[in-house]
Amino acid sequence: MTYDFSNKTVLITGAAGGIGKECARLFLDDGAQLILVDLEPNALREVADALGAPERITTVAGDLTDQNVLNEVRATVEIAGGLDALVPAAGIYRDRDVESMSIQEWRQTMSINLDSVFQLTQAVLPHLHDHAAIVNFASLAGSRGSRNHAHYAATKAALVAFGRSLALEIGHRGIRVNAVAPGIIRTQMTDTLVTTNGELLLQQTPLGRHGTAQEVATVVTFLCSEAASFVNGELIQVNGGLYMTG
């Protein structure tokens, strides 16, 4: 399935990650201009080079919790003439049980997974075109909880509530805010989880397999397209039915 994003500008954070990179590829294939953001400059450069079409890709490397980086992203958006889609895909997933979790570990996850999404959204909101789309990244963990990932699960649940609240505030501009909730998607972020609990998770997944980054990215592009023009405030589960079991 392809959509027409010609003359549309899309901002993707976490663009060097497995899902972010695949989102960038699909949007580019469908004609979009891309602003790609990631913490790792070398990885970001490699992604941009691999995608090709340098005339349609602008990159910003840095930590979005840094105000200077946030200012650079906002300036880049202004130069681009605004945004038609915002996809904040950056995040971290660290193992730690609540009893031994330090306040620094809690705050780091909150800062990267939640605070940075709020700050980025607030920064670019005046530059979102009417009828634009925002797709946040929730998680199965945000609905069910996750052993040894309470901080991660809390941020993902909060992003759904944040997005729905935002949808109520900016719906009059025709801007839609939705979220996707991936399950076990084979990326570098989930390598440890798959290694330790992969077989159990496969048994609990009705489709009997793990997902791919492309299967998440296709839902993201759908939600940003005209095909989803009346989908708003929704959470789409992309986890092979795992959310129903366990």
Side-chain angles (χ1 to χ4, degrees):
M1 181 66 68
T2 61
Y3 304 102
D4 184 10
F5 290 104
S6 302
N7 301 314
K8 304 290 187 182
T9 301
V10 180
L11 170 60
I12 303 171
T13 73
I19 295 175
K21 178 167 53 179
E22 190 61 25
C23 287
R25 185 184 69 80
L26 293 186
F27 277 116
L28 191 69
D29 287 349
D30 290 344
Q33 301 279 335
L34 300 180
I35 300 173
L36 304 181
V37 183
D38 198 272
L39 177 64
E40 299 293 338
N42 292 335
L44 184 60
R45 192 177 305 110
E46 289 176 6
V47 168
D49 290 344
L51 288 171
E55 73 283 357
R56 290 197 283 131
I57 299 175
T58 303
T59 61
V60 178
D63 186 344
L64 281 171
T65 63
D66 183 327
Q67 188 61 47
N68 292 327
V69 176
L70 193 62
N71 290 341
E72 183 179 355
V73 171
R74 179 167 42 217
T76 303
V77 169
E78 291 176 358
I79 292 170
L83 290 178
D84 299 284
L86 172 63
V87 182
I92 60 171
Y93 181 77
R94 303 277 171 78
D95 289 353
R96 183 69 70 187
D97 63 277
V98 171
E99 186 173 5
S100 62
M101 188 183 301
S102 69
I103 189 63
Q104 290 77 18
E105 289 171 318
W106 173 268
R107 286 175 176 163
Q108 181 188 43
T109 299
M110 289 292 155
S111 177
I112 294 172
N113 289 5
L114 181 59
D115 296 348
S116 69
V117 175
F118 160 70
Q119 291 172 291
L120 175 64
T121 303
Q122 187 180 59
V124 303
L125 203 54
H127 308 291
L128 280 174
H129 296 148
D130 289 351
H131 307 290
I134 299 173
V135 179
N136 289 317
F137 274 78
S139 169
L140 177 65
S143 301
R144 291 193 345 188
S146 179
R147 183 186 300 272
N148 296 332
H149 304 106
H151 44 355
Y152 175 83
T155 62
K156 295 305 181 178
L159 280 174
V160 175
F162 170 69
R164 287 174 174 164
S165 301
L166 183 62
L168 293 170
E169 295 180 11
I170 61 178
H172 66 281
R173 293 179 53 194
I175 300 175
R176 298 175 295 107
V177 187
N178 293 290
V180 295
I184 310 305
I185 309 300
R186 291 307 300 261
T187 66
Q188 185 176 357
M189 181 181 282
T190 61
D191 278 348
T192 300
L193 179 64
V194 170
T195 299
T196 56
N197 295 312
E199 286 304 314
L200 175 61
L201 292 167
L202 282 178
Q203 293 170 18
Q204 294 176 343
T205 303
L207 289 184
R209 64 177 178 84
H210 301 312
T212 68
Q214 182 179 11
E215 288 174 310
V216 180
T218 55
V219 178
V220 173
T221 54
F222 162 71
L223 289 172
C224 291
S225 76
E226 286 300 312
S229 58
F230 206 53
V231 180
N232 195 24
E234 190 55 81
L235 172 63
I236 307 295
Q237 302 281 351
V238 190
N239 45 51
L242 179 59
Y243 76 100
M244 300 184 295
T245 65

